[in-house]
Amino acid sequence: MATLDDLRAVAAGLPGSEERATTGGAAWFVRNKLYAWECHPWPSIPEDVRAVVASELVVGVKIADAEEALALREMEPAVFLPRTTGWGEPKIAFRMAAIAPDHFAELVTEAWRVQAPKYLRNEYDASLGA
């Protein structure tokens, strides 16, 4: 089961990543752009999704496009939640207890890539030897 500490560990390896406390919990930014966050059961979230978010750790991440979100939801509906709100699209929310650790790390890293400027992406790729 992935935890917020696991998310912190992945984020720590991403150039320019910064954790901030928000009213909804922890959130991660790169150059002031949100890329991952701890979901909170806000009243604006549909009731069925809000019940899941209230009962377990759910994380949201930015993604490249809405089609990717749809594909993830269709492939693993036990992991990826239905759309939460229209704010901040495209994004996807997932149950930390249900996601595979390698997939989790990939999603967080890709969310960072979506929001990071090119020079930070290049820095990260260079650190991997790419």
Side-chain angles (χ1 to χ4, degrees), residues 20-104:
R20 298 181 194 164
T22 66
T23 55
W28 289 264
F29 295 80
V30 59
R31 301 289 296 162
N32 291 317
K33 291 184 177 181
L34 179 68
Y35 73 90
W37 58 93
E38 179 181 4
C39 292
H40 186 75
W42 300 109
S44 58
I45 296 174
E47 191 173 335
D48 58 334
V49 177
R50 191 174 347 130
V52 173
V53 172
S55 66
E56 63 184 275
L57 179 58
V58 173
V59 166
V61 294
K62 293 291 286 181
I63 56 173
D65 58 53
E67 290 78 25
E68 181 182 353
L70 182 59
L72 288 168
R73 288 182 187 115
E74 288 178 353
M75 285 184 340
E76 295 187 75
V79 175
F80 296 98
L81 299 181
R83 189 167 184 240
T84 55
T85 65
W87 173 85
E89 291 289 340
K91 64 184 178 197
I92 190 82
F94 54 89
R95 303 165 75 174
M96 292 286 276
I99 195 160
D102 58 332
H103 196 193
F104 160 75

